[in-house]
Amino acid sequence: MQKSQITKSEPDERGHWGRFGGRYVPEILVAPLEELTEEFTRARHDNDFWQKLNQLLRDYAGRPTPLFHARRLTAHAGGAQIYLKREDLLHTGAHKINNAMGQVLLARQMGKRRVIAETGAGQHGVATATVCALFGLRCIIYMGAEDVRRQALNVFQMRLLGAEVITVNAGTRTLKDAINEAMRDWVTNVHDTYYLLGSALGPHPYPLMVREFQSVIGREAREQMLSASGKLPRALIACVGGGSNAIGLFHPFIADEQVRLIGVEAGGRGDSLGEHAARFHTDAKSGGGRIGVLQGMMSYVLQDLNGQIATTHSISAGLDYSAIGPEHAFLHDNGRAEYIRSSDSEALEGLELCAKLEGIIPALETAHAIMPAIQIARELPRDDAIIVNLSGRGDKDVQLVADLKNR
Ligand SMILES: *Cc1c(COP(=O)(O)O)cnc(C)c1O
């Protein structure tokens, strides 16, 4: 691996980071993806576009988000200073709106009047329904039947915002099946429809585009850390579902090789296949993460020993997905980033600790990063600092946590 490749982490023209990424789609989607790539590339170099986006992120979504020095968590860990990047304070409660806002501006520029999206836990669906309401666009959200059942409040919220929620009964009735249905819709209605994908995955240009819209997290954090302490953090820690909040924090630090980049996957309730969503983990007896193609991209995909896509389990719907965004696969293989896993019970422990010590209830997804962060802080001297991406707030999970504790 050449050093320049590691530090830039820019895919080639067809969206490949090394062997990962690309565009593995039916013929009929090639032209619309090409059109989207052109529009995005133009916007990426257009100052007016960024000015409009940044103004909306400031006035509507609530950016910049604070970088908060978590003194009681720091004292509890007894090591490096722990800082929390407060994406949970954004409108709609998570980082998802950074990406939804960027893409809805593209949809408008392309003259599309109908926006579709997939959602798992409902956070991306709510963010998409929100920006569509803001601009008066028709909005259709695909959601697995199992997730509709688990996240009734978010479904109601999307409907209040004027979106149509379509329940998907195929497969395991979760996120993967919702993405399939959204892609099917897009194939049929591509002339007037924009597909607003919610994480740094899928066919090119989505992984690159979502990363660019989420990188505002890392750009702000870098500046805030430098002005708070005069130096860079020793480590960045973020949970990884598809990978958008993590890559958004990591990306502006990729050239700073002294900064460790640590992604936390869902360890679920066990190490064997089907019990977790840790794409970089394999189990000799049951299978695990291997390089493969899923939903338009080449990446690490959880598979059984025959190469069938595996089912996943996580306490948090947002991390419960069998593949990971291609840039993470690349950063994993070239060693620039490290990936660890944290279990359901560790996530619950992290959620409670963060609530009791800092007065902040994180989302269950986010909570996966808390206990590992404490461990990493403990191994570092007090005059160093680490940043945890607080990707979302836990209001949506309070009922689930209450039910678990009352069992
Ligand atoms: C959706 C979600 C995630 C997981 O998605 P990524 O694309 O990996 O960031 C993590 N945290 C929260 C709060 C979410 O809503």
Side-chain angles (χ1 to χ4, degrees), residues 94-96 123 199 239-245 318-319 363 365-366 391-392:
H95 66 290
K96 298 274 186 345
Q123 296 301 101
S199 189
C239 68
V240 189
S244 71
N245 88 87
L319 304 186
E365 289 82 3
T366 314
S391 56

Side-chain angles (χ1 to χ4, degrees), residues 88 92-96 120-124 198-201 210 214 239-247 279 316-320 328 362-367 389-394 396-397:
D88 61 312
T92 69
H95 66 290
K96 298 274 186 345
Q123 296 301 101
H124 176 56
S199 189
L201 48 80
V210 176
Q214 292 293 0
C239 68
V240 189
S244 71
N245 88 87
I247 202 69
R279 285 69 44 103
S316 62
L319 304 186
D320 205 350
H328 287 289
L364 272 172
E365 289 82 3
T366 314
N389 203 11
L390 219 80
S391 56
R393 62 176 178 238
K396 68 182 177 62
D397 297 317

